[in-house]
Amino acid sequence: MRISTPHPGGPGPDIDLDAVNLADPQLYAAGDPHAIWTVMRERAPVHRQILPDGRSFWSVTKHGDVNDVLRDHTRFTSHRGTVLSVLGGTDPAGGKMLAASDPPVHTAMREPLNKALSHRTLKSRQPQIRRVVHRLLAPLLDGGTWDVAAAAAGFPLAFTGALMGLPEADWPRLTRLTTMAVAPDDPDYRESTGDSTLTAAHHELFAYLSGQVKRRVRHGVTEDDLIGFLMEMELDADGRRLRHDEIVYNAYSLLLGANVTTPHTIAATVLALMEHPHEYRRLLADPSLTNSAVEEGLRWASPANHFLRYVTQDITLRGQELKAGDAVVAWLGSANRDEEVFADPFRFDVTRSPNRHVAFGFGPHYCIGAPLARIALRLLFEEIVTLVEAFAPAGPVEHLMSNFVAGIKRMPVTAILREGAAQTLAEAVAADGPVPA
Ligand code: HEM
C-alpha cells in the first residue's frame, strides 16, 4: 500500500465518501487510502459502504473505535470470519481456528499455543534467526541492486518454516501460495480470476498441511515443531486434543500470519528510512534506538491493513445504528495515523514514545506471533544498522494489490556499506555455514 502524507488543503476535503470503495484492492496498489481515512476520521469515523452486489460493511477508522471493536468479542464476533474476502458468508474455520473463534473456545486454544510462542520459549531460536538474517543480507556484498521486497518475502519461512517443521524445499511455493491467498487480484499472483486464485491457494495449502499432519501420524508425532505441538496440545482438563481439521486450520493461520506480514514491515521500514534519511542517521548514531525504530516501522507499515468482525446485537456507535449481523471493518492502517493518539502521525520518528500502535491488533486476538516477529525484526535491523551506511532507491516501488495486506512486492535499492562491514558480513556468513532447520 502506498504510504502517503495527506497535505493540509490537499485533495482531502474534496473526497466524496459515498463514492469511496475501501474494499477495492486497486486502491491499495495505486490509490491513496491515507487521504481517504484522514477525511473519514474527521467527518465520518463510523461509515457504511454498500458494495455493488448489495453486501455492506461499516468502517471504523479511529484508534479508540478500532480498539473497542477488536477487544469486545461479546459485541463483535470473529466466528463468521475476519477478512473482507469472506464478507457476508460463513467461515468454515469458525470455531475451529484461533483467529475465527471467540472465547471460551478461543481461550482454550490460545493458552497452550501462547506458551509455545512466548518470548521466553523463542529465545533459544535467536542464533538460528541471526544466521537467516546474515543469509538475507549476503547479496549486499555484491554491491549491486538489491530488491528488498523480494528478499524479505522469503525471510519469515526461513525461521517459521523450521519452527513448524516444514521441509525447506517447500518454502518458496508456500511463500507464493500465502501471497496468492491475501492478494488474489494482484496480476503477479492471479491465476485466472481473483476468486479462483483464492480457492486454488486455499485448496493447495490445506491439502499440503493436511499431508504434513498425516505424515506425523504415520511417523510418530514429536512436540519439537509447531505442527506436532498443535497435534499434542491439550485444550482442557479432560485432555481434549484438536481434531484433524482444527490442526490444519491453525497451522494455516500460523503460516499465513507469519508470511504475509513480516516481509512488508521490512520493506516499508527500509523505504521510510530512505525517505527520512535524518531518522536513519539518528539510528546509526544510537543503535539502542533499534527497538523503537522497529515499533515505528510497524506503526508506519501496518501490514495487516484490516480485520473484520460481525455485530452480535443492535448497538449505537458514534451516533450510527448498527444492527445485529452487520459487518464492521477495523482499519488498522488508519488507527495508526489517528492524530488524537499520535503526535504528528505522518512523521516517521524512530524515537516515538509512547507508540501505542495497533499493528498487532488489540484484545483477545492480539497477534500470537508478535514476540517472534519482534525478535526477527530486531535482529534484522540491528544487523542492517551495523552494516549499512545508507540505502538509495534503484527503481520504482510496486505495491501489492490487496485490501487485506498493505504490502510492497518490488523495491530495488542500492546500499553503501559501512567501513569494514563487507568483511564482517562475509566472515559471519562463512562462519554460519548452512542454516540448520
Ligand atoms: C509484523 C508481523 C505481524 C503482524 C503485523 C501481525 C498482525 C496481526 C494482527 C493485527 C492480528 C489480530 C487479528 C484479529 O484481531 O483478528 C494477528 C493475529 C494473529 N497472528 Fe499475527 N502478525 C504478525 C506476525 C505473525 C507471526 C510471525 C505469526 C506466527 C508465528 C502470526 C500469527 C498470528 C495468529 C495465529 C493470529 C491469530 C491470533 C488469535 O486469534 O488469537 N502473526 N496478527
Side-chain angles (χ1 to χ4, degrees):
M1 186 178 79
R2 285 182 56 222
I3 298 177
S4 67
T5 304
H7 298 290
D14 295 338
I15 291 173
D16 173 6
L17 293 182
D18 289 334
V20 153
N21 182 2
L22 285 178
D24 181 7
Q26 178 65 22
L27 173 66
Y28 306 91
D32 195 350
H34 278 295
I36 297 170
W37 288 330
T38 301
V39 175
M40 275 189 169
R41 285 195 299 276
E42 194 189 316
R43 294 213 306 247
V46 179
H47 172 268
R48 184 159 181 246
Q49 183 186 322
I50 304 174
L51 292 168
D53 63 10
R55 292 178 301 160
S56 67
F57 62 90
W58 294 94
S59 284
V60 293
T61 43
K62 297 282 292 174
H63 189 272
D65 296 337
V66 164
N67 277 352
D68 284 348
V69 167
L70 297 182
R71 174 178 47 203
D72 186 356
H73 66 89
T74 60
R75 291 189 303 159
F76 304 99
T77 174
S78 294
H79 195 92
R80 278 182 61 193
T82 61
V83 284
L84 269 170
S85 59
V86 291
L87 175 68
T90 47
D91 189 337
K96 297 176 178 173
M97 181 171 81
L98 195 63
S101 306
D102 298 321
V105 173
H106 172 265
T107 321
M109 287 191 268
R110 171 120 184 170
E111 274 178 2
L113 199 51
N114 239 341
K115 290 194 193 101
L117 286 167
S118 74
H119 194 276
R120 225 168 75 179
T121 317
L122 294 168
K123 247 183 147 178
S124 63
R125 291 268 164 183
Q126 292 200 27
Q128 192 245 355
I129 300 177
R130 203 178 278 284
R131 286 194 288 272
V132 172
V133 166
H134 291 152
R135 200 164 62 167
L136 175 84
L137 297 175
L140 291 178
L141 289 172
D142 299 341
T145 302
W146 185 53
D147 189 330
V148 182
F155 180 57
L157 258 177
F159 51 90
T160 317
L163 199 62
M164 293 181 73
L166 304 174
E168 185 168 352
D170 303 336
W171 297 350
R173 180 67 186 155
L174 293 172
T175 299
R176 180 168 171 84
L177 286 170
T178 45
T179 308
M180 282 165 64
V182 297
D185 297 294
D186 191 296
D188 285 339
Y189 294 96
R190 191 164 49 203
E191 293 180 359
S192 77
T193 66
D195 278 353
S196 62
T197 301
L198 183 63
T199 310
H202 278 164
H203 187 79
E204 193 173 332
L205 281 167
F206 289 132
Y208 173 84
L209 291 166
S210 177
Q212 285 292 322
V213 176
K214 286 180 187 149
R215 190 169 65 80
R216 283 164 178 73
V217 172
R218 277 196 309 274
H219 298 294
V221 188
T222 65
E223 284 190 29
D224 285 353
D225 67 57
L226 273 179
I227 295 185
F229 186 88
L230 286 170
M231 293 168 77
E232 294 287 286
M233 72 187 203
E234 295 184 355
L235 304 180
D236 56 27
D238 298 334
R240 173 168 121 65
R241 306 255 169 102
L242 292 174
R243 291 185 303 270
H244 181 86
D245 59 342
E246 294 170 326
I247 299 165
V248 172
Y249 277 128
N250 283 295
Y252 165 81
S253 189
L254 288 170
L255 187 64
L256 195 82
N259 248 10
V260 301
T261 48
T262 323
H264 303 301
T265 314
I266 297 167
T269 305
V270 171
L271 181 58
L273 290 168
M274 281 194 297
E275 289 174 344
H276 303 79
H278 173 66
E279 293 300 309
Y280 191 52
R281 281 197 296 275
R282 289 173 85 190
L283 196 52
L284 290 180
D286 182 1
S288 73
L289 293 175
T290 305
N291 275 347
S292 103
V294 163
E295 294 306 314
E296 181 68 340
L298 284 159
R299 180 187 80 89
W300 196 254
S302 301
N305 188 32
H306 80 256
F307 273 101
L308 181 145
R309 302 287 190 261
Y310 288 90
V311 183
T312 57
Q313 54 194 269
D314 294 357
I315 53 164
T316 305
L317 213 59
R318 290 193 190 256
Q320 299 284 0
E321 290 183 4
L322 281 62
K323 300 277 173 229
D326 282 358
V328 184
V329 176
W331 295 100
L332 306 183
S334 172
N336 280 338
R337 293 293 191 287
D338 189 338
E339 32 294 282
E340 270 186 44
V341 176
F342 301 100
D344 205 354
F346 287 93
R347 190 163 56 85
F348 184 81
D349 177 358
V350 295
T351 60
R352 185 175 288 279
S353 175
N355 189 348
R356 296 191 294 117
H357 69 75
V358 286
F360 288 122
F362 193 71
H365 292 279
Y366 182 83
C367 178
I368 200 164
L372 179 59
R374 282 193 162 112
I375 290 174
L377 291 169
R378 179 176 54 76
L379 291 177
L380 174 65
F381 280 97
E382 268 176 16
E383 211 61 32
I384 285 180
V385 168
T386 315
L387 297 170
V388 179
E389 187 65 40
F391 285 110
V397 178
E398 289 181 43
H399 299 271
L400 199 62
M401 194 183 286
S402 167
N403 62 27
F404 176 39
V405 169
I408 294 179
K409 54 182 184 176
R410 274 183 211 100
M411 195 175 100
V413 302
T414 52
I416 300 170
L417 294 188
R418 302 185 77 173
E419 214 182 308
Q423 194 181 343
T424 313
L425 178 58
E427 282 170 8
V429 172
D432 290 343
V435 179

